[in-house]
Each structure stands twice: as structure tokens, then as C-alpha cells.
Amino acid sequence: MTGERPEDQPGWAAPGPTPTEPSPWDAPAVAPPGGPPPPVSWSQPTAPTAGVPTVPPPHSASGAPRRKRGKGWLITLLVVLAAILTMAITGTVLFVTRTLPPYNAAHDFLDDVNHHRDTSAARRLCSTDSSQPDSAVLGIGSHFRNGKTFSVNPLGVDRSGSVATVDYTVSYQDGSTRTFTLPVVEENGSWKACPL
């Protein structure tokens, strides 16, 4: 062994055998007939299966097709607005025709009593009380003794046909308040106070 050079040794630095078979990772595996499918190679892209539809990639946010919005919301909005408008008109008509006449009659009579316009207040009395106007006016006038202001509540009108009651509140000098009710009746198309 002495004197031999390493390169003279068999197999040293000699080229290896040339591979004759390709590596299993170089080509896709083929399944034997009737056998299980071959393992999927991650180095090779798989072809789509025949007969299975491919799903296109989703559109981007900017290129996505816009969904058409139906007109149902517009119809619903118009119906709601029409209903609100109808209720507002109906409420206004009912207030003007049913609530406002007895309210105005009570307010005008109480204003005359509060300002000591007894003759004008007596003309605003119903036929039953007009025969004794002093008692009617003085009875209501007692509510205003030491009173500073008064207010008639439009929501305090309770009407049933040609008869109604109207609530009014008197504020006194000492800061207290009291609420009273004034009966009014409709006679010959005019509303009159009927406190007795």
C-alpha cells in the first residue's frame, strides 16, 4: 500500500454511475390500472378534474358588479310618508272642527272675566246662565282672585256632541297654580260658557 497515490485507489474521485431512472419528484406519478390514485406531487401543478366546473376568482372591490337595488324601499317610504301626512291632515281637521270652537269660547269668556269685562262676559254665557249673569260671572271671577295669569289647555278639551268641558289653569301671586273646568255648550252654531 505504501507508495500508492490516493488517486490510484479504485473508486477514489471516480465519477459515479449515471442515473438512468428519473426521480419520483421530477414527473407526475401515474396510477396503475385499477389501483389507488398516486400521491400528489407538490412540485407539479395538478390539472383540473374533468367535468368539474372551475370557479373564477372573486372580483376585486373596485371591479365587483354592483347589485341592483330594488324599488321596494322607495315604495315603502312613500307609503309611510303618505300615512303620516294623512294622519296630520286628519288631526288638524279634527282639531279645527271639534276642539278649537269650544276652546275659543272658553278662552274668550275667561279673558273677559279676568279683565273684569263683565258685560262682554255676560254676552258669552249660554241661555241657561244668561238669566243670572252676575252669579255666573262672579262665580268664575272668584277663581281669578289674586291671580296673575291663566292658560287654557287645548288638550284639556273634552267634547261630546254639542257639550264640552275645557280645562284652564290659573297662576297666583304666591307662585301656586290651580286647574279648573269650564263647561261650554253649542247654541245656534256658537259655543257659550255655561258655568252654573
Side-chain angles (χ1 to χ4, degrees):
M1 299 287 277
T2 311
E4 290 183 2
R5 295 178 299 177
E7 54 269 16
D8 292 336
Q9 298 293 326
W12 191 90
T18 305
T20 57
E21 295 183 7
S23 168
W25 297 103
D26 293 338
V30 178
V40 178
S41 170
W42 296 103
S43 63
Q44 297 290 335
T46 57
T49 308
V52 177
T54 58
V55 179
H59 293 287
S60 64
S62 60
R66 294 182 62 134
R67 185 168 59 95
K68 291 184 178 180
R69 184 179 293 181
K71 295 184 179 179
W73 66 272
L74 180 60
I75 294 173
T76 303
L77 178 63
L78 291 176
V79 169
V80 170
L81 289 176
I84 292 173
L85 183 61
T86 301
M87 287 188 293
I89 292 173
T90 303
T92 302
V93 169
L94 287 176
F95 178 78
V96 170
T97 58
R98 291 188 53 82
T99 304
L100 195 59
Y103 169 86
N104 286 338
H107 182 274
D108 294 343
F109 172 75
L110 294 170
D111 189 54
D112 285 341
V113 172
N114 186 40
H115 290 93
H116 307 289
R117 296 189 294 258
D118 297 342
T119 304
S120 179
R123 285 197 301 265
R124 299 182 188 277
L125 290 171
C126 64
S127 59
T128 305
D129 292 353
S130 61
S131 59
Q132 42 187 345
D134 293 340
S135 298
V137 172
L138 288 175
I140 297 297
S142 65
H143 298 164
F144 291 93
R145 194 168 296 121
N146 299 321
K148 184 170 59 173
T149 59
F150 80 97
S151 62
V152 181
N153 184 6
L155 300 178
V157 177
D158 185 12
R159 176 178 172 179
S160 177
S162 60
V163 177
T165 57
V166 181
D167 294 339
Y168 64 98
T169 303
V170 179
S171 300
Y172 295 97
Q173 300 287 348
D174 60 1
S176 63
T177 60
R178 285 187 65 189
T179 299
F180 304 94
T181 300
L182 175 67
V184 292
V185 296
E186 184 180 17
E187 293 180 344
N188 302 320
S190 299
W191 284 85
K192 304 286 187 177
C194 208
L196 295 180

PDB file of all heavy atoms in Angstrom, residues 46-73:
ATOM      1  N   THR A  46     -51.385  20.480 -10.386  1.00  0.00           N
ATOM      2  CA  THR A  46     -52.366  19.464 -10.747  1.00  0.00           C
ATOM      3  C   THR A  46     -53.333  20.043 -11.755  1.00  0.00           C
ATOM      4  O   THR A  46     -53.718  21.206 -11.676  1.00  0.00           O
ATOM      5  CB  THR A  46     -53.139  18.996  -9.506  1.00  0.00           C
ATOM      6  OG1 THR A  46     -53.738  20.133  -8.922  1.00  0.00           O
ATOM      7  CG2 THR A  46     -52.225  18.332  -8.513  1.00  0.00           C
ATOM      8  N   ALA A  47     -53.717  19.215 -12.686  1.00  0.00           N
ATOM      9  CA  ALA A  47     -54.661  19.629 -13.716  1.00  0.00           C
ATOM     10  C   ALA A  47     -56.069  19.552 -13.149  1.00  0.00           C
ATOM     11  O   ALA A  47     -56.343  18.701 -12.305  1.00  0.00           O
ATOM     12  CB  ALA A  47     -54.529  18.738 -14.945  1.00  0.00           C
ATOM     13  N   PRO A  48     -56.976  20.410 -13.574  1.00  0.00           N
ATOM     14  CA  PRO A  48     -58.351  20.341 -13.069  1.00  0.00           C
ATOM     15  C   PRO A  48     -58.994  19.028 -13.480  1.00  0.00           C
ATOM     16  O   PRO A  48     -58.726  18.499 -14.540  1.00  0.00           O
ATOM     17  CB  PRO A  48     -59.037  21.543 -13.695  1.00  0.00           C
ATOM     18  CG  PRO A  48     -58.198  21.912 -14.866  1.00  0.00           C
ATOM     19  CD  PRO A  48     -56.805  21.503 -14.529  1.00  0.00           C
ATOM     20  N   THR A  49     -59.846  18.545 -12.601  1.00  0.00           N
ATOM     21  CA  THR A  49     -60.535  17.297 -12.864  1.00  0.00           C
ATOM     22  C   THR A  49     -61.554  17.515 -13.966  1.00  0.00           C
ATOM     23  O   THR A  49     -62.253  18.519 -13.994  1.00  0.00           O
ATOM     24  CB  THR A  49     -61.249  16.819 -11.593  1.00  0.00           C
ATOM     25  OG1 THR A  49     -60.308  16.808 -10.540  1.00  0.00           O
ATOM     26  CG2 THR A  49     -61.831  15.433 -11.779  1.00  0.00           C
ATOM     27  N   ALA A  50     -61.625  16.566 -14.853  1.00  0.00           N
ATOM     28  CA  ALA A  50     -62.559  16.692 -15.984  1.00  0.00           C
ATOM     29  C   ALA A  50     -63.986  16.661 -15.477  1.00  0.00           C
ATOM     30  O   ALA A  50     -64.321  15.861 -14.614  1.00  0.00           O
ATOM     31  CB  ALA A  50     -62.317  15.556 -16.978  1.00  0.00           C
ATOM     32  N   GLY A  51     -64.830  17.525 -16.011  1.00  0.00           N
ATOM     33  CA  GLY A  51     -66.232  17.549 -15.647  1.00  0.00           C
ATOM     34  C   GLY A  51     -66.551  18.414 -14.443  1.00  0.00           C
ATOM     35  O   GLY A  51     -67.701  18.622 -14.117  1.00  0.00           O
ATOM     36  N   VAL A  52     -65.559  18.896 -13.710  1.00  0.00           N
ATOM     37  CA  VAL A  52     -65.794  19.736 -12.541  1.00  0.00           C
ATOM     38  C   VAL A  52     -65.630  21.187 -12.972  1.00  0.00           C
ATOM     39  O   VAL A  52     -64.576  21.564 -13.469  1.00  0.00           O
ATOM     40  CB  VAL A  52     -64.818  19.401 -11.403  1.00  0.00           C
ATOM     41  CG1 VAL A  52     -65.033  20.337 -10.240  1.00  0.00           C
ATOM     42  CG2 VAL A  52     -64.986  17.961 -10.989  1.00  0.00           C
ATOM     43  N   PRO A  53     -66.663  22.004 -12.809  1.00  0.00           N
ATOM     44  CA  PRO A  53     -66.527  23.404 -13.256  1.00  0.00           C
ATOM     45  C   PRO A  53     -65.540  24.155 -12.367  1.00  0.00           C
ATOM     46  O   PRO A  53     -65.467  23.936 -11.167  1.00  0.00           O
ATOM     47  CB  PRO A  53     -67.944  23.972 -13.097  1.00  0.00           C
ATOM     48  CG  PRO A  53     -68.580  23.104 -12.065  1.00  0.00           C
ATOM     49  CD  PRO A  53     -67.975  21.733 -12.244  1.00  0.00           C
ATOM     50  N   THR A  54     -64.800  24.991 -12.997  1.00  0.00           N
ATOM     51  CA  THR A  54     -63.839  25.813 -12.252  1.00  0.00           C
ATOM     52  C   THR A  54     -64.526  27.104 -11.818  1.00  0.00           C
ATOM     53  O   THR A  54     -65.348  27.647 -12.548  1.00  0.00           O
ATOM     54  CB  THR A  54     -62.605  26.138 -13.113  1.00  0.00           C
ATOM     55  OG1 THR A  54     -63.050  26.802 -14.290  1.00  0.00           O
ATOM     56  CG2 THR A  54     -61.866  24.864 -13.484  1.00  0.00           C
ATOM     57  N   VAL A  55     -64.192  27.563 -10.626  1.00  0.00           N
ATOM     58  CA  VAL A  55     -64.774  28.796 -10.092  1.00  0.00           C
ATOM     59  C   VAL A  55     -63.835  29.941 -10.408  1.00  0.00           C
ATOM     60  O   VAL A  55     -62.656  29.891 -10.043  1.00  0.00           O
ATOM     61  CB  VAL A  55     -64.979  28.689  -8.568  1.00  0.00           C
ATOM     62  CG1 VAL A  55     -65.551  29.979  -8.017  1.00  0.00           C
ATOM     63  CG2 VAL A  55     -65.876  27.507  -8.251  1.00  0.00           C
ATOM     64  N   PRO A  56     -64.336  30.961 -11.082  1.00  0.00           N
ATOM     65  CA  PRO A  56     -63.444  32.087 -11.386  1.00  0.00           C
ATOM     66  C   PRO A  56     -63.085  32.816 -10.103  1.00  0.00           C
ATOM     67  O   PRO A  56     -63.816  32.778  -9.121  1.00  0.00           O
ATOM     68  CB  PRO A  56     -64.278  32.984 -12.315  1.00  0.00           C
ATOM     69  CG  PRO A  56     -65.688  32.645 -11.978  1.00  0.00           C
ATOM     70  CD  PRO A  56     -65.681  31.185 -11.599  1.00  0.00           C
ATOM     71  N   PRO A  57     -61.944  33.455 -10.071  1.00  0.00           N
ATOM     72  CA  PRO A  57     -61.549  34.192  -8.865  1.00  0.00           C
ATOM     73  C   PRO A  57     -62.517  35.333  -8.596  1.00  0.00           C
ATOM     74  O   PRO A  57     -63.102  35.887  -9.523  1.00  0.00           O
ATOM     75  CB  PRO A  57     -60.147  34.722  -9.210  1.00  0.00           C
ATOM     76  CG  PRO A  57     -60.103  34.733 -10.699  1.00  0.00           C
ATOM     77  CD  PRO A  57     -60.959  33.592 -11.145  1.00  0.00           C
ATOM     78  N   PRO A  58     -62.718  35.648  -7.316  1.00  0.00           N
ATOM     79  CA  PRO A  58     -63.668  36.732  -6.998  1.00  0.00           C
ATOM     80  C   PRO A  58     -63.178  38.058  -7.534  1.00  0.00           C
ATOM     81  O   PRO A  58     -61.984  38.300  -7.630  1.00  0.00           O
ATOM     82  CB  PRO A  58     -63.706  36.731  -5.466  1.00  0.00           C
ATOM     83  CG  PRO A  58     -62.432  36.071  -5.062  1.00  0.00           C
ATOM     84  CD  PRO A  58     -62.095  35.086  -6.124  1.00  0.00           C
ATOM     85  N   HIS A  59     -64.172  38.913  -7.862  1.00  0.00           N
ATOM     86  CA  HIS A  59     -63.827  40.246  -8.366  1.00  0.00           C
ATOM     87  C   HIS A  59     -63.228  41.075  -7.247  1.00  0.00           C
ATOM     88  O   HIS A  59     -63.550  40.910  -6.083  1.00  0.00           O
ATOM     89  CB  HIS A  59     -65.081  40.960  -8.902  1.00  0.00           C
ATOM     90  CG  HIS A  59     -65.640  40.321 -10.129  1.00  0.00           C
ATOM     91  ND1 HIS A  59     -65.048  40.403 -11.353  1.00  0.00           N
ATOM     92  CD2 HIS A  59     -66.751  39.554 -10.299  1.00  0.00           C
ATOM     93  CE1 HIS A  59     -65.766  39.740 -12.238  1.00  0.00           C
ATOM     94  NE2 HIS A  59     -66.798  39.205 -11.624  1.00  0.00           N
ATOM     95  N   SER A  60     -62.418  41.990  -7.619  1.00  0.00           N
ATOM     96  CA  SER A  60     -61.895  42.925  -6.628  1.00  0.00           C
ATOM     97  C   SER A  60     -62.995  43.893  -6.232  1.00  0.00           C
ATOM     98  O   SER A  60     -64.022  43.991  -6.886  1.00  0.00           O
ATOM     99  CB  SER A  60     -60.692  43.690  -7.206  1.00  0.00           C
ATOM    100  OG  SER A  60     -61.114  44.473  -8.299  1.00  0.00           O
ATOM    101  N   ALA A  61     -62.781  44.611  -5.144  1.00  0.00           N
ATOM    102  CA  ALA A  61     -63.811  45.524  -4.628  1.00  0.00           C
ATOM    103  C   ALA A  61     -64.168  46.599  -5.646  1.00  0.00           C
ATOM    104  O   ALA A  61     -65.305  47.018  -5.763  1.00  0.00           O
ATOM    105  CB  ALA A  61     -63.334  46.172  -3.329  1.00  0.00           C
ATOM    106  N   SER A  62     -63.156  47.022  -6.423  1.00  0.00           N
ATOM    107  CA  SER A  62     -63.436  48.099  -7.368  1.00  0.00           C
ATOM    108  C   SER A  62     -64.117  47.583  -8.625  1.00  0.00           C
ATOM    109  O   SER A  62     -64.891  48.281  -9.247  1.00  0.00           O
ATOM    110  CB  SER A  62     -62.136  48.828  -7.734  1.00  0.00           C
ATOM    111  OG  SER A  62     -61.238  47.901  -8.330  1.00  0.00           O
ATOM    112  N   GLY A  63     -63.839  46.326  -8.988  1.00  0.00           N
ATOM    113  CA  GLY A  63     -64.405  45.809 -10.213  1.00  0.00           C
ATOM    114  C   GLY A  63     -65.606  44.918  -9.991  1.00  0.00           C
ATOM    115  O   GLY A  63     -66.078  44.293 -10.925  1.00  0.00           O
ATOM    116  N   ALA A  64     -66.078  44.801  -8.743  1.00  0.00           N
ATOM    117  CA  ALA A  64     -67.210  43.918  -8.454  1.00  0.00           C
ATOM    118  C   ALA A  64     -68.466  44.473  -9.100  1.00  0.00           C
ATOM    119  O   ALA A  64     -68.698  45.675  -9.085  1.00  0.00           O
ATOM    120  CB  ALA A  64     -67.402  43.789  -6.951  1.00  0.00           C
ATOM    121  N   PRO A  65     -69.278  43.582  -9.674  1.00  0.00           N
ATOM    122  CA  PRO A  65     -70.520  44.087 -10.259  1.00  0.00           C
ATOM    123  C   PRO A  65     -71.451  44.581  -9.176  1.00  0.00           C
ATOM    124  O   PRO A  65     -71.601  43.956  -8.138  1.00  0.00           O
ATOM    125  CB  PRO A  65     -71.098  42.855 -10.970  1.00  0.00           C
ATOM    126  CG  PRO A  65     -70.484  41.693 -10.289  1.00  0.00           C
ATOM    127  CD  PRO A  65     -69.132  42.151  -9.825  1.00  0.00           C
ATOM    128  N   ARG A  66     -72.083  45.714  -9.390  1.00  0.00           N
ATOM    129  CA  ARG A  66     -72.979  46.321  -8.399  1.00  0.00           C
ATOM    130  C   ARG A  66     -74.298  45.591  -8.398  1.00  0.00           C
ATOM    131  O   ARG A  66     -74.860  45.325  -9.441  1.00  0.00           O
ATOM    132  CB  ARG A  66     -73.199  47.797  -8.712  1.00  0.00           C
ATOM    133  CG  ARG A  66     -71.936  48.610  -8.558  1.00  0.00           C
ATOM    134  CD  ARG A  66     -72.212  50.047  -8.821  1.00  0.00           C
ATOM    135  NE  ARG A  66     -73.180  50.517  -7.827  1.00  0.00           N
ATOM    136  CZ  ARG A  66     -73.051  51.635  -7.171  1.00  0.00           C
ATOM    137  NH1 ARG A  66     -72.029  52.399  -7.384  1.00  0.00           N
ATOM    138  NH2 ARG A  66     -73.943  52.006  -6.299  1.00  0.00           N
ATOM    139  N   ARG A  67     -74.771  45.278  -7.182  1.00  0.00           N
ATOM    140  CA  ARG A  67     -76.063  44.605  -7.047  1.00  0.00           C
ATOM    141  C   ARG A  67     -77.163  45.638  -7.250  1.00  0.00           C
ATOM    142  O   ARG A  67     -77.158  46.695  -6.632  1.00  0.00           O
ATOM    143  CB  ARG A  67     -76.173  43.995  -5.655  1.00  0.00           C
ATOM    144  CG  ARG A  67     -77.432  43.185  -5.465  1.00  0.00           C
ATOM    145  CD  ARG A  67     -77.350  42.380  -4.195  1.00  0.00           C
ATOM    146  NE  ARG A  67     -77.173  43.241  -3.037  1.00  0.00           N
ATOM    147  CZ  ARG A  67     -78.153  43.686  -2.272  1.00  0.00           C
ATOM    148  NH1 ARG A  67     -79.383  43.352  -2.552  1.00  0.00           N
ATOM    149  NH2 ARG A  67     -77.912  44.449  -1.231  1.00  0.00           N
ATOM    150  N   LYS A  68     -78.104  45.312  -8.098  1.00  0.00           N
ATOM    151  CA  LYS A  68     -79.189  46.253  -8.374  1.00  0.00           C
ATOM    152  C   LYS A  68     -80.104  46.325  -7.161  1.00  0.00           C
ATOM    153  O   LYS A  68     -80.568  45.305  -6.669  1.00  0.00           O
ATOM    154  CB  LYS A  68     -79.967  45.822  -9.599  1.00  0.00           C
ATOM    155  CG  LYS A  68     -79.171  45.951 -10.883  1.00  0.00           C
ATOM    156  CD  LYS A  68     -80.018  45.592 -12.078  1.00  0.00           C
ATOM    157  CE  LYS A  68     -79.232  45.765 -13.368  1.00  0.00           C
ATOM    158  NZ  LYS A  68     -80.019  45.416 -14.540  1.00  0.00           N
ATOM    159  N   ARG A  69     -80.336  47.508  -6.674  1.00  0.00           N
ATOM    160  CA  ARG A  69     -81.227  47.719  -5.535  1.00  0.00           C
ATOM    161  C   ARG A  69     -82.650  47.873  -6.042  1.00  0.00           C
ATOM    162  O   ARG A  69     -82.918  48.631  -6.945  1.00  0.00           O
ATOM    163  CB  ARG A  69     -80.802  48.971  -4.764  1.00  0.00           C
ATOM    164  CG  ARG A  69     -81.632  49.201  -3.518  1.00  0.00           C
ATOM    165  CD  ARG A  69     -81.170  50.418  -2.789  1.00  0.00           C
ATOM    166  NE  ARG A  69     -79.853  50.235  -2.232  1.00  0.00           N
ATOM    167  CZ  ARG A  69     -79.218  51.155  -1.519  1.00  0.00           C
ATOM    168  NH1 ARG A  69     -79.783  52.310  -1.291  1.00  0.00           N
ATOM    169  NH2 ARG A  69     -78.028  50.938  -1.049  1.00  0.00           N
ATOM    170  N   GLY A  70     -83.551  47.109  -5.438  1.00  0.00           N
ATOM    171  CA  GLY A  70     -84.944  47.162  -5.864  1.00  0.00           C
ATOM    172  C   GLY A  70     -85.600  48.476  -5.464  1.00  0.00           C
ATOM    173  O   GLY A  70     -85.071  49.263  -4.685  1.00  0.00           O
ATOM    174  N   LYS A  71     -86.786  48.700  -5.975  1.00  0.00           N
ATOM    175  CA  LYS A  71     -87.522  49.924  -5.674  1.00  0.00           C
ATOM    176  C   LYS A  71     -88.518  49.731  -4.547  1.00  0.00           C
ATOM    177  O   LYS A  71     -89.332  50.602  -4.280  1.00  0.00           O
ATOM    178  CB  LYS A  71     -88.240  50.416  -6.924  1.00  0.00           C
ATOM    179  CG  LYS A  71     -87.269  50.845  -8.026  1.00  0.00           C
ATOM    180  CD  LYS A  71     -87.998  51.416  -9.212  1.00  0.00           C
ATOM    181  CE  LYS A  71     -87.010  51.861 -10.287  1.00  0.00           C
ATOM    182  NZ  LYS A  71     -87.682  52.399 -11.461  1.00  0.00           N
ATOM    183  N   GLY A  72     -88.431  48.582  -3.873  1.00  0.00           N
ATOM    184  CA  GLY A  72     -89.354  48.322  -2.774  1.00  0.00           C
ATOM    185  C   GLY A  72     -89.202  49.313  -1.640  1.00  0.00           C
ATOM    186  O   GLY A  72     -90.187  49.729  -1.028  1.00  0.00           O
ATOM    187  N   TRP A  73     -87.965  49.696  -1.338  1.00  0.00           N
ATOM    188  CA  TRP A  73     -87.734  50.648  -0.236  1.00  0.00           C
ATOM    189  C   TRP A  73     -88.351  52.003  -0.555  1.00  0.00           C
ATOM    190  O   TRP A  73     -88.877  52.681   0.330  1.00  0.00           O
ATOM    191  CB  TRP A  73     -86.238  50.803   0.016  1.00  0.00           C
ATOM    192  CG  TRP A  73     -85.499  51.436  -1.119  1.00  0.00           C
ATOM    193  CD1 TRP A  73     -84.945  50.848  -2.190  1.00  0.00           C
ATOM    194  CD2 TRP A  73     -85.261  52.847  -1.296  1.00  0.00           C
ATOM    195  NE1 TRP A  73     -84.381  51.766  -3.026  1.00  0.00           N
ATOM    196  CE2 TRP A  73     -84.553  53.007  -2.505  1.00  0.00           C
ATOM    197  CE3 TRP A  73     -85.586  53.976  -0.533  1.00  0.00           C
ATOM    198  CZ2 TRP A  73     -84.157  54.242  -2.977  1.00  0.00           C
ATOM    199  CZ3 TRP A  73     -85.183  55.222  -1.017  1.00  0.00           C
ATOM    200  CH2 TRP A  73     -84.480  55.338  -2.224  1.00  0.00           C
TER     201      TRP A  73
END
